[in-house]
């Protein structure tokens, strides 16, 4: 399992500390959301952000993933309660020499998916 997919699976299981342990201590991140851009630095800042999200049964369903050297890419959908799709994400992570995620960028859209409607693998 790619590092990015492991991160999402661990995050979605509710094990936030374990998920953020996959990040470098000084990770830099940018999340482009409908409400604006959330940028930050540091594992503790990411953990604080994750703990502050509303409690929902959220899953990141990776529909496509690829890797090129030290970069991992994913396109997927976010679901709630195992059935309702709330939107689509495209993410990229840089994996440092120590195997930890040291840069992370994700964009989320409630309506637009890069994949044509109904196309999954």
């Amino acid at each position: 399992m790619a590092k990015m997919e492991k991160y999402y699976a661990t995050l979605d299981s509710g094990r936030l500390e374990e998920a953020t342990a996959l990040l470098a201590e000084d990770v830099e991140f940018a999340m482009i959301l409908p409400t604006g851009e959330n940028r930050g630095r540091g594992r503790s800042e990411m953990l604080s952000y994750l703990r502050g999200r509303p409690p929902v049964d959220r899953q990141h369903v990776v529909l496509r993933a690829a890797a090129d050297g030290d970069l991992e890419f994913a396109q997927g959908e976010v679901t709630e309660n195992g059935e309702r799709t709330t939107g689509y994400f495209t993410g990229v992570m840089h994996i440092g020499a120590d195997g930890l995620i040291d840069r992370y960028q994700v964009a989320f859209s409630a309506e637009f998916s890069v994949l044509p409607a109904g196309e999954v693998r």
Side-chain angles (χ1 to χ4, degrees):
M1 176 184 295
K3 184 75 67 169
M4 183 177 239
E5 290 176 285
K6 182 176 181 179
Y7 172 78
Y8 285 132
T10 307
L11 180 68
D12 293 342
S13 74
R15 300 183 330 258
L16 303 181
E17 291 84 5
E18 192 175 326
T20 55
L22 298 170
L23 307 175
E25 191 65 44
D26 62 347
V27 63
E28 291 183 75
F29 58 89
M31 294 177 249
I32 297 94
L33 307 168
T35 56
E37 185 173 327
N38 174 28
R39 291 189 65 171
R41 183 183 189 109
R43 184 186 294 160
S44 61
E45 191 171 334
M46 176 66 90
L47 182 57
S48 178
Y49 166 77
L50 294 170
R51 285 181 173 153
R53 296 186 310 173
V56 296
D57 179 15
R58 178 184 298 113
Q59 298 292 310
H60 294 81
V61 181
V62 176
L63 300 174
R64 299 285 170 78
D68 183 8
D70 54 3
L71 289 179
E72 294 184 8
F73 306 86
Q75 167 67 36
E77 63 185 10
V78 176
T79 63
E80 286 185 7
N81 303 317
E83 52 190 53
R84 184 172 79 87
T85 299
T86 60
Y88 305 91
F89 70 94
T90 302
V92 61
M93 292 181 172
H94 180 263
I95 312 301
D98 58 3
L100 297 175
I101 300 159
D102 60 10
R103 293 182 68 78
Y104 171 48
Q105 181 179 4
V106 65
F108 176 83
S109 172
E111 298 177 14
F112 182 78
S113 173
V114 171
L115 296 173
E119 185 174 327
V120 294
R121 191 189 317 234

